[in-house]
Amino acid sequence: MMSSENRSDFSASCSSISEEARAKINLALHVTGQRPDGYHLLDMLVTFTDHGDRLDFMRSPTDEFTLSGRFGETLAGDGCTNLVLKARDLLREAIGPLAFPVRIQLEKNLPVASGIGGGSADAAATLRGLMRLWGTSLPEEALAALALKLGSDVPMCLASRPLIARGIGEKIEPVPELPVLAMVLANPLKGVSTPEVFRQLATKNNPALSLPPSRPLAADWLAAIAAARNDLEPPARELVPEIAAISAMLQANGALLTRMSGSGATCFGIFATMAAAEDAAAALHDARPDWYFQATETVSGGA
């Protein structure tokens, strides 16, 4: 933790900062068991996209929280439970009197409750941003415990880099060799209940994620991802038939591989180039302007 003198200089120079809350993409999600407390055990290959929410933090006489962006109104009535505010309050409790009042602006660009970690990414970005604004930090283990308290996806969203996550999401292994992928995110903007998806899951003790030990080429990675699966996709398709329809639309527009992310309803299509992804997103938007389509790239594992 930095000295009080350096902390004061840091805070004075960082009166306003920004953080990106990148969309979390489950390239694979294997349900491998269930703990006695009800939590499911997972093996996940995860990456993050350039596209996501944005949070701005600045000093304020009192705590403030404002919303903007395409999906901001969806959260407008959620001020008491929003993960951003929970993250702020938990971090303040851990840091103490150095945590002065802040104004937080959340630009909500990702669909809410859509399987791409929007709320978890927002919480993780809040932890990163406020530690910078307040000019302080927590020991790695304490920060990881605080993040897990906010949700099982928050620790991996803190990293926002390609990784394998196991357990309930807390056991994280970086995957620096995962290449950048051009993709289209697609969501029919119809809600799907995560608890109901898990309840409908036929088998909860499925084979673990297995990746080849050497994957130097992008084509090898595409084959490895194709050989994996999302165990939550079949029950989600039963609950929300639009998931199958939107996956078929991605394939029809040139996706090399399509899959649902998380518990849905967002699907992704991987494309050969970013130009191909942008063309597909434009065509899909023209076909269904009432749905959500976004061309983006994933971040580099070595960044």
Side-chain angles (χ1 to χ4, degrees), residues 27-150:
L27 296 172
L29 190 159
H30 295 199
V31 181
T32 60
Q34 188 171 16
R35 301 194 318 194
D37 61 6
Y39 280 97
H40 291 84
L41 299 174
L42 309 173
D43 275 11
M44 296 174 284
L45 177 62
V46 176
T47 191
F48 295 83
T49 70
D50 283 337
H51 178 68
D53 297 338
R54 175 188 170 95
L55 290 98
D56 296 308
F57 307 88
M58 64 188 68
R59 280 184 177 269
S60 178
T62 59
D63 282 333
E64 297 179 57
F65 178 61
T66 60
L67 286 161
S68 64
R70 178 179 176 182
F71 298 102
E73 289 188 5
T74 310
L75 289 180
D78 194 32
C80 292
T81 58
N82 188 278
L83 278 176
V84 169
L85 303 186
K86 289 185 177 180
R88 178 201 65 192
D89 294 344
L90 281 176
L91 185 60
R92 173 176 281 144
E93 181 181 335
I95 288 174
L98 296 171
F100 50 77
V102 293
R103 180 179 186 270
I104 303 175
Q105 165 76 30
L106 169 59
E107 183 181 297
K108 192 66 185 169
N109 302 315
L110 298 174
V112 176
S114 57
I116 51 178
S120 296
D122 294 342
T126 299
L127 296 177
R128 294 193 305 265
L130 288 179
M131 284 191 295
R132 290 171 57 203
L133 186 71
W134 288 334
T136 190
S137 62
L138 291 177
E140 185 175 342
E141 289 187 3
L143 181 59
L146 191 154
L148 189 60
K149 191 173 182 179
L150 289 164

Side-chain angles (χ1 to χ4, degrees), residues 251-291:
Q251 290 178 332
N253 280 271
L256 303 175
L257 183 150
T258 64
R259 184 165 289 154
M260 188 183 79
S261 179
S263 59
T266 300
C267 296
F268 62 87
I270 298 176
F271 288 79
T273 65
M274 191 60 193
E278 290 170 343
D279 289 346
L284 290 163
H285 177 75
D286 288 344
R288 289 300 304 255
D290 54 326
W291 287 0

Side-chain angles (χ1 to χ4, degrees), residues 104-293:
I104 303 175
Q105 165 76 30
L106 169 59
E107 183 181 297
K108 192 66 185 169
N109 302 315
L110 298 174
V112 176
S114 57
I116 51 178
S120 296
D122 294 342
T126 299
L127 296 177
R128 294 193 305 265
L130 288 179
M131 284 191 295
R132 290 171 57 203
L133 186 71
W134 288 334
T136 190
S137 62
L138 291 177
E140 185 175 342
E141 289 187 3
L143 181 59
L146 191 154
L148 189 60
K149 191 173 182 179
L150 289 164
S152 58
D153 284 351
V154 179
M156 65 186 85
C157 288
L158 265 178
S160 286
R161 290 286 178 246
L163 53 87
I164 292 172
R166 294 188 171 92
I168 62 170
E170 83 284 10
K171 300 174 183 177
I172 293 173
E173 173 191 341
V175 185
E177 67 270 28
L178 187 69
V180 172
L181 302 170
M183 64 173 53
V184 173
L185 307 181
N187 188 294
L189 300 182
K190 185 172 182 179
V192 54
S193 167
T194 297
E196 187 60 27
V197 169
F198 274 103
R199 274 194 292 269
Q200 296 290 332
L201 189 63
T203 305
K204 300 184 179 181
N205 292 282
N206 301 293
L209 178 67
S210 177
L211 297 173
S214 178
R215 302 170 296 272
L217 301 176
D220 296 333
W221 270 106
L222 193 63
I225 295 167
R229 61 188 191 276
N230 182 345
D231 288 329
L232 300 183
E233 186 165 349
R237 286 186 178 219
E238 291 293 324
L239 294 168
V240 181
E242 288 88 346
I243 293 172
I246 212 165
S247 181
M249 291 173 68
L250 287 164
Q251 290 178 332
N253 280 271
L256 303 175
L257 183 150
T258 64
R259 184 165 289 154
M260 188 183 79
S261 179
S263 59
T266 300
C267 296
F268 62 87
I270 298 176
F271 288 79
T273 65
M274 191 60 193
E278 290 170 343
D279 289 346
L284 290 163
H285 177 75
D286 288 344
R288 289 300 304 255
D290 54 326
W291 287 0
Y292 167 86
F293 299 101

